[in-house]
């Protein structure tokens, strides 16, 4: 594991071998060794950020901003509800999806800022805290329904596709009042969840079958707050404790973990033979 410190991290993303980090009033761009390449100012209270197609999408509690990679503002727009309190952002081809803690739905926009629809959960979203994560994997959306201990999936047209998850303290179950917090995905489509309380990062198949715990509380660095996570090839980038840590799964060490028993062709298992 290697790490590089910064201010409190509000959000981060990986794009074309660079790390984009949102801190108080700034977006900083690093190479993957932690060397600062560039930065530019933004407003405070960044809730989430996605870098895609040479553009930076920044989510705030009640509006969205779109920047070039050089930090030039392209456009911005207000939330479609005055009561909105946005939490997490996903971007697909032509669309943006923002989870709304206050209104308990997902707001869908076109990438030009025009509102499309609200997406409601047939299970009813229960959001006790800011744990309303969302991630796009291809043209499928995965979002947390933390009060129900579920990960739900939707099409880009708002169609409910299914859900997985159960409450409990055993591996593969979601503990506490509001988990999971963050959702990410591996390069080959596995779903990655990050929990708070007893922080851990776990891996699930696309249909919700539990694979393994990738990082537990001890490896993550302790505390009770969930760690944001992104994956790129055979590395995991984890934000928490005021830094971004880079985990590289050494084949000799990983062979003694749950990764060694997984039959999936996964970049994290690079070099592992069973």
């Amino acid at each position: 594991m290697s790490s590089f410190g910064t201010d409190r991290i509000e959000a981060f993303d990986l794009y074309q071998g660079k790390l984009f980090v949102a801190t108080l009033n700034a977006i900083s761009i690093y190479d993957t060794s932690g060397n600062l390449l560039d930065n530019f100012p933004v407003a405070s209270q960044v809730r989430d950020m996605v870098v895609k197609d040479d553009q930076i999408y920044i989510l705030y509690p009640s509006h969205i901003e779109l920047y070039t990679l050089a930090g030039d503002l392209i456009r911005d727009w207000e939330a479609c509800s005055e009561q909105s309190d946005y939490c997490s952002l996903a971007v697909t081809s032509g669309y943006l999806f923002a989870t709304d803690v206050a209104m308990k739905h997902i707001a869908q926009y076109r990438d030009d800022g025009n509102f499309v629809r609200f997406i409601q959960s047939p299970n009813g979203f229960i959001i006790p805290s800011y744990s309303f994560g969302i991630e796009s994997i291809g043209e499928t959306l995965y979002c947390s329904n933390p009060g129900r201990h579920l990960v739900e999936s939707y099409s880009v047209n708002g169609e409910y596709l299914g859900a997985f998850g159960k409450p409990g303290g055993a591996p593969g179950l979601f503990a506490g009042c509001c988990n999971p917090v963050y959702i990410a995905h591996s390069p080959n489509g596995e779903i990655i969840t990050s929990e708070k309380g007893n922080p851990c990062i776990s891996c699930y198949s696309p249909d919700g079958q539990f694979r393994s715990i990738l990082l537990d509380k001890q490896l993550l660095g302790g505390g009770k707050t969930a760690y944001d996570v992104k994956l790129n090839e055979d590395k995991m980038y984890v934000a928490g404790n005021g830094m971004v840590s880079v985990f590289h799964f050494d084949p000799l060490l990983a062979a003694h973990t749950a990764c060694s028993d997984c039959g999936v062709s996964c970049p994290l298992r690079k070099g592992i033979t069973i």
Side-chain angles (χ1 to χ4, degrees):
M1 180 184 77
S2 60
S3 64
F4 44 95
T6 182
D7 298 327
R8 174 180 169 178
I9 297 171
E10 307 293 347
F12 83 107
D13 203 2
L14 289 162
Y15 183 71
Q16 293 186 343
K18 297 177 182 178
L19 189 62
F20 293 74
V21 180
T23 56
L24 181 63
N25 299 119
I27 303 297
S28 299
I29 304 170
Y30 300 86
D31 64 23
T32 52
S33 296
N35 299 306
L36 180 64
L37 303 175
D38 198 3
N39 60 43
F40 60 90
V42 294
S44 60
Q45 289 190 292
V46 173
R47 288 282 170 80
D48 202 2
M49 174 175 59
V50 174
V51 187
K52 184 180 177 69
D53 298 332
D54 292 340
Q55 295 179 329
I56 305 171
Y57 300 83
I58 300 179
L59 183 72
Y60 296 90
S62 59
H63 75 285
I64 299 170
E65 294 179 346
L66 179 60
Y67 289 84
T68 67
L69 295 181
D72 299 317
L73 181 65
I74 299 172
R75 70 176 67 92
D76 65 331
W77 63 91
E78 297 295 322
C80 51
S81 171
E82 293 182 356
Q83 289 76 42
S84 288
D85 190 1
Y86 287 154
C87 180
S88 186
L89 180 69
V91 179
T92 65
S93 178
Y95 296 108
L96 284 76
F97 300 84
T99 60
D100 193 328
V101 171
M103 305 306 292
K104 295 178 174 56
H105 58 217
I106 302 168
Q108 181 179 1
Y109 297 91
R110 298 190 188 279
D111 56 12
D112 60 5
N114 287 319
F115 173 72
V116 177
R117 63 172 60 87
F118 295 124
I119 300 174
Q120 309 281 355
S121 169
N123 303 307
F125 285 123
I126 298 178
I127 317 296
S129 62
Y130 288 92
S131 304
F132 203 175
I134 191 169
E135 178 82 352
S136 62
I137 305 179
E139 295 298 295
T140 301
L141 299 166
Y142 292 87
C143 75
S144 60
N145 190 344
R148 297 196 183 278
H149 302 95
L150 292 174
V151 174
E152 300 183 354
S153 58
Y154 295 85
S155 74
V156 293
N157 296 318
E159 177 188 4
Y160 176 76
L161 301 177
F164 69 87
K166 293 180 180 180
L173 305 179
F174 297 126
C177 71
C178 36
N179 272 313
V181 177
Y182 296 108
I183 297 175
H185 69 280
S186 72
N188 61 327
E190 267 68 50
I191 300 166
I192 309 299
T193 64
S194 180
E195 299 177 48
K196 66 178 182 177
N198 183 19
C200 67
I201 294 173
S202 302
C203 178
Y204 297 81
S205 68
D207 62 356
Q209 298 299 309
F210 176 64
R211 303 282 199 208
S212 64
I213 293 178
L214 300 178
L215 297 171
D216 60 16
K217 181 176 181 178
Q218 181 178 2
L219 289 171
L220 286 167
K224 295 185 177 180
T225 305
Y227 292 72
D228 200 356
V229 57
K230 311 290 181 185
L231 284 79
N232 183 40
E233 297 180 348
D234 60 343
K235 294 182 177 63
M236 296 177 62
Y237 296 78
V238 178
N241 298 325
M243 67 178 68
V244 176
S245 299
V246 186
F247 292 84
H248 181 262
F249 276 60
D250 182 279
L252 294 178
L253 296 177
H256 299 287
T257 72
C259 283
S260 65
D261 297 324
C262 181
V264 175
S265 177
C266 172
L268 293 182
R269 301 179 67 253
K270 184 178 180 180
I272 298 175
T273 57
I274 299 176

